[in-house]
Amino acid sequence: MEIHYLSPLFSPKSMVVFAGKADQPDSQSGYGRSIRAQLEQGGFAGPVTFLDVGMSGTLADLAQSRADLAIIALPNEELAFALEVAGRIQCRAALVISAGVPAALAKELHAIARKHDIHLLGPNCLGYQRPRLNINASVAGHLAQPGSLALISQSGALTAAILDWGSKNAVGFSTVVSLGPNTAVDLAQTLDFLATDPATQSIVIYMEGLTDARRFLSALRGAANTKPVVVLKAGNAAAASLAALTHSGSIVASDEVFDAALRRTGAVRVKSFVQLFSAAKCLASRYRPVGPRLAIVTNGGGPGVLAADWIGELGLQLARLSSAGAQALAPLLPPQATLSNLLDLSEEAGPEHFCSAIQACARDAQVDGILVIYSPKLGGDPAAVAEAVSALNAGLGKPLLTCWMGDEKVAAARQIINGAGLATFRTPEAAVDGFSNIASFYQNQQLLHQTPPPLSQLAEPDLEGARLLIESVLAERRKVLTEMESKALLAAFHIPITQTILARSASEAILIASQLGYPVALKIDSPDISHKSDVQGVVLNVLNAAAVRDVYADMMVTVRRLEPDARINGVTIQKMAGKRNGRELYIGVVTDHLFGPAISFGAGGTMIELINDRAIELPPLNLFLAQRLIGRVRAADMLGEWRGAPPAKREAIEHMLLRVSEMVCQLPQLREMDINPLIVDEHGALVVDARIVVDAAPPSAHGYDHLAILPYPSNYTQDWPMRGGGQYTLRPVQPDDAAMLQDFVRGLSEKSRYYRFASSLRELSVPMLARYTLIDYDREMALVAVQTIRTPGPDGDFVETDSIIGVSRYIANPDRSSCEFSLVVDDRFSGQGLGTRLMLAIMDVARDKGLSQIDGLVLVKNSGMLKLMASLGFHIESYEEDPDFRMCSKAL
């Protein structure tokens, strides 16, 4: 069961091809004959059977043509029949290479595939290539060179263009997949396969749209957890519009939400086709990200300065050698060389000088990557320098990028560099772009490992009160909360607000203002007015009772004239914030149609749209994510000492962002929110005004279904007693459990390791550790039993040490109705009921997630596990594909 479910599609052992007869005119725009010729001449190791849908015979005759994969390249009217035949002869996967298939026919093909349990790639796609397997099941071009880079593209034209570019730039591919708009096997499933494909070291994606954001992010997080992923998304200008009634709706575009979502997956986004090529070059060279500091080694100052300027533009750092490194390098270079910023080796530099500089950068801890720029010089030998630089790459240990300036004089040198597997660029800016991509991957990996719980460690909010407030508003068939209601909802989550009291007459307004103390602010209170200032419904710094009376009267007249149909509750009175050193900020929430709620933060006040200073993050947030969100806006610069004002209390902003995250996680009815302005000074933060829009949660809402990224499921944490005394904690696995999990595996007996992994491994590899600890709680779960041991410390205090003593896990199958389980228990705790508890708990989680069946393979020799499965009511039967295993199944 370790074999990926898409292996019959992308790694078939046998094929059957429906492509018409070779001597007939081409069908499907020439696809049939092209596919037939490619497969006949391609060198695929397995058997390939060619069938004609018009052939005579019975299904019994066709049964001998049974294969893993059916490839269909036929006219539209013959597609359904061919796919039906593929299902009848028990093909496990199918590829329909076609163009112009209408949506109704595509829907019919999907239904046939589901009926026969076929994984269907297509229709309306150009197919795929697997160069290492000699499979060119595509009409996108000649078979690519083998390599470690995978390409997934939702555009057939771009697939062909990238393949052509790769052949000219010595870039090889492990997999190339063309996905059309009607394919059943989608982007998320293809990513799932490539994440586990050992031949794929990095992935490039061109995408145009999504239908299931949660599933896409889940797959992308899984893939980017172990290998670099770069995404180019088109259609930015046509991003779906959001509600335009609030500041959030008018200033946050869906494309920005997509950016925020992508950062949380650990992937990197590029914005142009040129940048995609740059990223592909770097990833194909198996560069690994280490940091943002790039050293420039050049024989010409001008190109080096251009590169340094672009480094600053992209937010990278120009790496400088340490003083010791520079002193050791200087005697090995020409006298004219300078090492203060750029490593300008001068026009006299030859191959040996470039090599010395590169090796010095490789040894220096202050350098994360190296860019070598060569400008042709009179009497110079570009090819010799290229040979020397290329020879260094294998043992360097750091990304090495090259830029040979010019054209005809350096053509041979570029061929040498390409042949050595090094990335070479024609301009310094393109080379820096390439490094920026892998540096961004390094930074985004820190965000990938953040899995916050839905509630922070702050004081528990009044969830029941908040929900009752929202229900009462919706019961009145309203969606927009008044300012009073909005602030009451914020107060339920312990967000500090200005005291606000509603006045229904001028005399009430005077009494309230006198009690609060002057100066005060008056604001119209109406569920039908989105922006109070647009109807002159806000007056600040009212200083006395007479002014309150006059402002109240004037405001009511003006608002009724400008908005005659608006319902007016009265005027709210609140004391002016009085924060002399306060900075005006903004926190907002907007709901994207694909990615759900997103939290925005930036500069606030009346000119929020004009200032246009914001950053966006997807919930849930923790302290690290909140700090990163604050740091990404320009307004963060004025939170320190500014114009004589003391530093603002950043912790108050961080706590407020965590509180807003709690609101978003716990209240699926929350659609939009504006906190503007949020006043913050050296003493804390205070909400002056707020506006909230709610709507009914969908009937199918379950748990945190409204979130694109599931929070850490802390609700599954339980404490259980141990037989013989003591206790252990059963909880979902966390990313920082990797070291404990490795110790657990190392401590297992050889027999237990073999029973769990069906191999003789002694420890988990780094990718396996990442795979087992950084999981997507939406489609899988791992529960760890953790025992805490207290031992006396050197100072007499007790030291607590946690260790994993058991793990149960399930992974949902593609049908999203069943799952596969695994279980392993520390040998020292065998027979204490730990395995039973772990299995019961993991089944409870699977049941809670809506899964209906749980299955698992158990080795025949593992009698203890088989006995446990039988005691839990599992049905145990032989496993046809391997007699050494038993299939254990149970309905949930």
Side-chain angles (χ1 to χ4, degrees):
M1 299 179 79
E2 294 295 328
I3 299 174
H4 196 276
Y5 66 90
L6 289 183
S7 293
L9 173 62
F10 293 121
S11 300
K13 296 179 180 178
S14 55
M15 300 184 198
V16 58
V17 182
F18 298 85
K21 295 180 180 178
D23 57 351
Q24 287 182 340
D26 288 347
S27 60
Q28 277 296 350
S29 304
Y31 292 172
R33 192 160 60 193
S34 298
I35 286 293
R36 186 175 190 127
Q38 287 170 178
L39 292 174
E40 286 177 336
Q41 303 164 14
F44 172 64
V48 181
T49 304
F50 294 92
L51 296 180
D52 176 12
V53 292
M55 66 187 294
S56 60
T58 66
L59 281 176
D61 299 327
L62 288 174
Q64 57 187 330
S65 302
R66 178 180 178 180
D68 283 344
L69 172 64
I71 301 177
I72 303 172
L74 294 170
N76 287 356
E77 61 269 18
E78 298 178 359
L79 294 178
F81 180 73
L83 186 59
E84 185 72 44
V85 171
R88 296 289 183 88
I89 62 176
Q90 298 182 351
C91 291
R92 297 157 64 191
L95 166 63
V96 176
I97 300 177
S98 60
V101 174
L105 178 54
K107 187 176 181 180
E108 180 184 352
L109 294 176
H110 290 189
I112 295 172
R114 283 194 301 271
K115 180 176 69 173
H116 293 289
D117 199 20
I118 290 175
H119 299 296
L120 174 62
L121 179 61
N124 293 335
C125 77
L126 300 189
Y128 76 87
Q129 295 187 5
R130 293 274 281 167
R132 292 180 187 273
L133 302 179
N134 291 317
I135 298 176
N136 187 4
S138 78
V139 288
H142 297 296
L143 185 63
Q145 302 175 38
S148 61
L149 177 66
L151 167 68
I152 308 173
S153 173
Q154 289 182 331
S155 165
L158 285 181
T159 304
I162 293 174
L163 282 171
D164 184 60
W165 167 85
S167 66
K168 295 289 190 276
N169 288 271
V171 172
F173 295 89
S174 65
T175 308
V176 177
V177 182
S178 167
L179 296 174
N182 301 111
T183 181
V185 172
D186 59 11
L187 177 56
Q189 291 172 295
T190 307
L191 268 172
D192 263 340
F193 174 81
L194 294 175
T196 61
D197 179 31
T200 298
Q201 300 298 319
S202 46
I203 303 169
V204 171
I205 301 171
Y206 170 79
M207 61 182 294
E208 295 176 348
L210 281 175
T211 55
D212 190 332
R214 169 81 71 81
R215 190 173 178 182
F216 168 69
L217 293 183
S218 172
L220 194 55
R221 284 168 66 87
N225 183 31
T226 56
K227 48 194 75 171
V229 182
V230 175
V231 179
L232 170 62
K233 178 182 177 293
N236 305 335
S241 61
L242 303 173
L245 292 179
T246 67
H247 289 305
S248 304
S250 62
I251 68 174
V252 178
S254 286
D255 195 57
E256 293 177 287
V257 178
F258 179 81
D259 263 344
L262 213 62
R263 279 194 302 270
R264 289 289 289 277
T265 67
V268 174
R269 185 182 184 185
V270 295
K271 297 297 183 74
S272 71
F273 200 49
V274 173
Q275 289 180 326
L276 185 68
F277 282 146
S278 297
K281 279 188 178 183
C282 291
L283 297 179
S285 302
R286 298 197 182 189
Y287 293 140
R288 285 298 171 264
V290 287
R293 300 169 298 182
L294 179 64
I296 299 175
V297 178
T298 179
N299 65 340
V305 171
L306 287 175
D309 288 345
W310 201 238
I311 285 173
E313 191 73 22
L314 296 181
L316 302 171
Q317 298 175 29
L318 177 62
R320 296 173 175 83
L321 287 178
S322 63
S323 56
Q327 289 175 8
L329 176 61
L332 305 177
L333 300 179
Q336 297 84 4
T338 59
L339 305 177
S340 56
N341 290 305
L342 307 172
L343 276 68
D344 186 351
L345 310 185
S346 81
E347 296 183 1
E348 308 300 321
E352 68 281 6
H353 303 122
F354 275 91
C355 289
S356 297
I358 293 170
Q359 289 169 334
C361 291
R363 291 190 296 265
D364 201 306
Q366 297 179 184
V367 176
D368 297 319
I370 308 162
L371 169 58
V372 178
I373 304 176
Y374 183 88
S375 299
K377 306 295 182 182
L378 186 63
D381 190 344
V385 176
E387 289 274 13
V389 171
S390 299
L392 288 177
N393 184 47
L396 204 60
K398 292 181 180 179
L400 177 62
L401 297 84
T402 64
C403 174
W404 257 239
M405 307 279 293
D407 195 0
E408 185 178 347
K409 291 183 179 180
V410 298
R414 287 202 185 104
Q415 289 183 353
I416 292 169
I417 295 170
N418 277 331
L422 266 173
T424 186
F425 301 87
R426 292 181 176 269
T427 66
E429 293 89 347
V432 174
D433 266 340
F435 180 78
S436 175
N437 293 326
I438 55 178
S440 296
F441 179 81
Y442 168 79
Q443 295 168 359
N444 288 356
Q445 287 292 296
Q446 299 177 51
L447 301 180
L448 171 62
H449 287 77
Q450 305 302 313
T451 54
L455 292 174
S456 68
Q457 298 300 313
L458 303 174
E460 187 174 345
D462 180 9
L463 295 178
E464 187 62 27
R467 288 165 181 156
L468 287 173
L469 192 157
I470 292 175
E471 288 172 8
S472 66
V473 171
L474 294 175
E476 296 177 12
R477 297 187 178 182
R478 289 192 293 121
K479 295 184 179 180
V480 181
L481 275 65
T482 65
E483 181 184 0
M484 296 283 289
E485 292 167 337
S486 296
K487 288 186 173 179
L489 192 62
L490 294 175
F493 285 82
H494 306 294
I495 293 176
I497 58 174
T498 54
Q499 185 179 5
T500 304
I501 303 177
L502 179 66
R504 301 183 183 276
S505 66
S507 57
E508 278 188 15
I510 294 172
L511 289 173
I512 293 169
S514 300
Q515 292 174 0
L516 293 177
Y518 295 99
V520 294
L522 276 67
K523 301 177 185 179
I524 198 70
D525 188 83
S526 168
D528 302 318
I529 297 175
S530 298
H531 298 302
K532 306 178 187 71
S533 55
D534 291 349
V535 294
Q536 301 178 35
V538 178
V539 177
L540 307 178
N541 288 308
V542 181
L543 299 176
N544 52 54
V548 168
R549 179 197 61 205
D550 296 341
V551 167
Y552 186 98
D554 292 344
M555 186 179 293
M556 297 295 285
V557 170
T558 302
V559 172
R560 285 198 174 103
R561 176 172 54 83
L562 296 175
E563 290 285 349
D565 297 327
R567 293 169 292 173
I568 300 175
N569 298 326
V571 173
T572 61
I573 316 296
Q574 62 187 69
K575 186 174 175 59
M576 293 297 296
K579 290 183 175 288
R580 191 165 60 90
N581 298 320
R583 286 78 151 170
E584 290 190 341
L585 299 172
Y586 158 84
I587 297 176
V589 173
V590 67
T591 301
D592 181 81
H593 74 292
L594 273 177
F595 294 99
I599 299 171
S600 58
F601 170 79
T606 57
M607 295 190 293
I608 179 173
E609 292 94 344
L610 184 63
I611 297 172
N612 193 29
D613 176 30
R614 65 182 176 274
I616 300 168
E617 192 60 79
L618 294 190
L621 302 182
N622 60 9
L623 192 58
F624 175 83
L625 293 170
Q627 291 169 344
R628 288 287 296 264
L629 179 59
I630 295 169
R632 291 208 307 270
V633 300
R634 299 190 306 274
D637 295 336
M638 66 180 186
L639 296 178
E641 291 188 17
W642 181 67
R643 293 190 174 182
K649 192 172 183 179
R650 291 179 75 117
E651 295 88 346
I653 308 173
E654 294 163 3
H655 287 177
M656 197 160 293
L657 286 169
L658 294 181
R659 288 301 194 186
V660 170
S661 175
E662 291 179 343
M663 293 181 69
V664 169
C665 291
Q666 300 297 334
L667 304 176
Q669 303 94 334
L670 183 61
R671 293 292 183 270
E672 301 167 15
M673 180 165 68
D674 284 326
I675 295 176
N676 183 35
L678 167 68
I679 307 294
V680 58
D681 63 6
E682 66 273 22
H683 302 297
L686 187 66
V687 174
V688 174
D689 201 356
R691 181 179 178 278
I692 295 174
V693 178
V694 296
D695 203 350
S700 59
H702 174 76
Y704 302 103
D705 285 350
H706 62 297
L707 302 179
I709 299 175
L710 277 187
Y712 177 75
S714 51
N715 54 304
Y716 294 127
T717 300
Q718 308 172 63
D719 290 325
W720 289 94
M722 190 85 71
R723 290 182 186 173
Q727 68 175 24
Y728 61 91
T729 298
L730 201 61
R731 61 166 174 79
V733 73
Q734 298 173 343
D736 53 7
D737 287 334
M740 277 201 300
L741 184 63
Q742 186 71 281
D743 291 340
F744 169 70
V745 172
R746 288 171 178 163
L748 293 173
S749 67
E750 187 174 333
K751 183 171 71 173
S752 293
R753 283 198 297 267
Y754 182 76
Y755 283 167
R756 167 60 182 90
F757 301 104
S759 72
S760 57
L761 63 79
R762 296 184 177 277
E763 63 178 24
L764 299 177
S765 65
V766 173
M768 290 175 73
L769 271 178
R771 173 69 188 84
Y772 289 149
T773 56
L774 183 63
I775 67 172
D776 191 298
Y777 304 109
D778 185 37
R779 56 178 177 166
E780 61 183 302
M781 180 60 72
L783 297 177
V784 293
V786 179
Q787 184 184 42
T788 302
I789 300 176
R790 301 177 75 230
T791 55
D795 300 327
D797 296 330
F798 281 94
V799 177
E800 292 187 347
T801 305
D802 290 341
S803 60
I804 293 176
I805 58 175
V807 182
S808 61
R809 178 185 303 270
Y810 79 73
I811 299 177
N813 289 319
D815 60 13
R816 293 285 176 149
S817 64
S818 62
C819 61
E820 300 172 4
F821 77 86
S822 63
L823 172 68
V824 62
V825 174
D826 190 319
D827 296 84
R828 296 172 299 165
F829 296 90
S830 178
Q832 297 193 32
L834 185 58
T836 300
R837 175 51 53 196
L838 281 164
M839 277 305 301
L840 289 172
I842 203 70
M843 286 191 292
D844 284 343
V845 176
R847 197 176 291 113
D848 188 48
K849 290 291 185 178
L851 299 174
S852 59
Q853 181 164 317
I854 186 166
D855 308 310
L857 283 179
V858 179
L859 281 164
V860 174
K861 296 179 180 179
N862 193 352
S863 57
M865 180 69 77
L866 291 173
K867 183 179 178 181
L868 172 62
M869 294 299 105
S871 70
L872 293 173
F874 277 74
H875 175 67
I876 302 173
E877 61 183 4
S878 300
Y879 183 54
E880 292 183 4
E881 297 185 21
D882 193 335
D884 290 335
F885 287 89
R886 292 288 182 268
M887 172 66 76
C888 303
S889 305
K890 181 177 175 64
L892 295 172

